[in-house]
Amino acid sequence: MRYSIDEGYLSPEVRVILAALVRLRPDRRRRKDARPRRAGRPGPGRRRRRFLYGALFAAVALYEMISKVAAGGGAAALTAFAIGVSLRHGIFVAGLAFVGGFVSPAIIGSDTPNTPVLFGYLLAISAGTLGVVRLRGWWPLGWACSRGPPSGLSSG
């Protein structure tokens, strides 16, 4: 893979698309007769969402393949998806969705900042995360969620 990138066979667009497609494939290692995972134990789903965030950020911040508005919508949709999937995969996926959701605006950025949209987005991320916290009883994540926006916005 590295050779093809160094030689220029894979353009940046192809690399981002391949990163997204590879992470969307079904997990073949999971068999029907395999033991069920313990609750809260990180599984392959966590790694997939992490790479989807990476592909989204590379597409917008590194290669400027998609607009910042579309990237913001994609980040919101990916975060909502990860928060929903955390109901099955555990607190680690919920933490990843929380961190990815709050870091997204900083990485995507904007030429013309829009404060109401930013705070509406952060409110939606906090509300979704706190809803999952209340449903599952993951109070450590709730404390992180209540400290996340103020500490992240006041540093600077």
Side-chain angles (χ1 to χ4, degrees):
M1 182 65 99
R2 185 175 185 113
Y3 175 77
S4 61
I5 292 171
D6 290 342
E7 293 296 318
Y9 298 136
L10 294 177
S11 68
E13 292 84 9
V14 172
R15 283 184 265 174
V16 169
I17 292 169
L18 284 176
L21 288 178
V22 165
R23 296 307 163 193
L24 288 175
R25 73 177 178 3
D27 188 19
R28 294 187 183 135
R29 291 177 288 179
R30 186 85 173 135
R31 297 184 325 254
K32 291 180 183 177
D33 60 338
R35 289 184 305 159
R37 281 196 321 265
R38 291 181 303 162
R41 186 172 167 213
R46 178 176 63 118
R47 291 186 295 271
R48 285 194 195 126
R49 277 170 284 291
R50 182 180 62 207
F51 279 99
L52 285 175
Y53 275 114
L56 178 67
F57 296 147
V60 70
L62 295 178
Y63 304 123
E64 298 177 357
M65 291 172 50
I66 57 177
S67 70
K68 294 185 183 214
V69 174
L78 182 57
T79 301
F81 173 71
I83 287 174
V85 168
S86 71
L87 294 172
R88 177 177 174 162
H89 290 285
I91 191 171
F92 293 110
V93 176
L96 173 70
F98 167 72
V99 170
F102 278 110
V103 171
S104 296
I107 291 178
I108 293 171
S110 177
D111 297 331
T112 58
N114 191 342
T115 306
V117 170
L118 172 65
F119 282 106
Y121 174 78
L122 293 177
L123 177 67
I125 297 299
S126 295
T129 304
L130 288 174
V132 170
V133 165
R134 173 124 170 106
L135 184 68
R136 292 290 187 187
W138 296 330
W139 296 112
L141 185 61
W143 284 106
C145 186
S146 66
R147 289 294 302 154
S151 63
L153 295 175
S154 63
S155 63

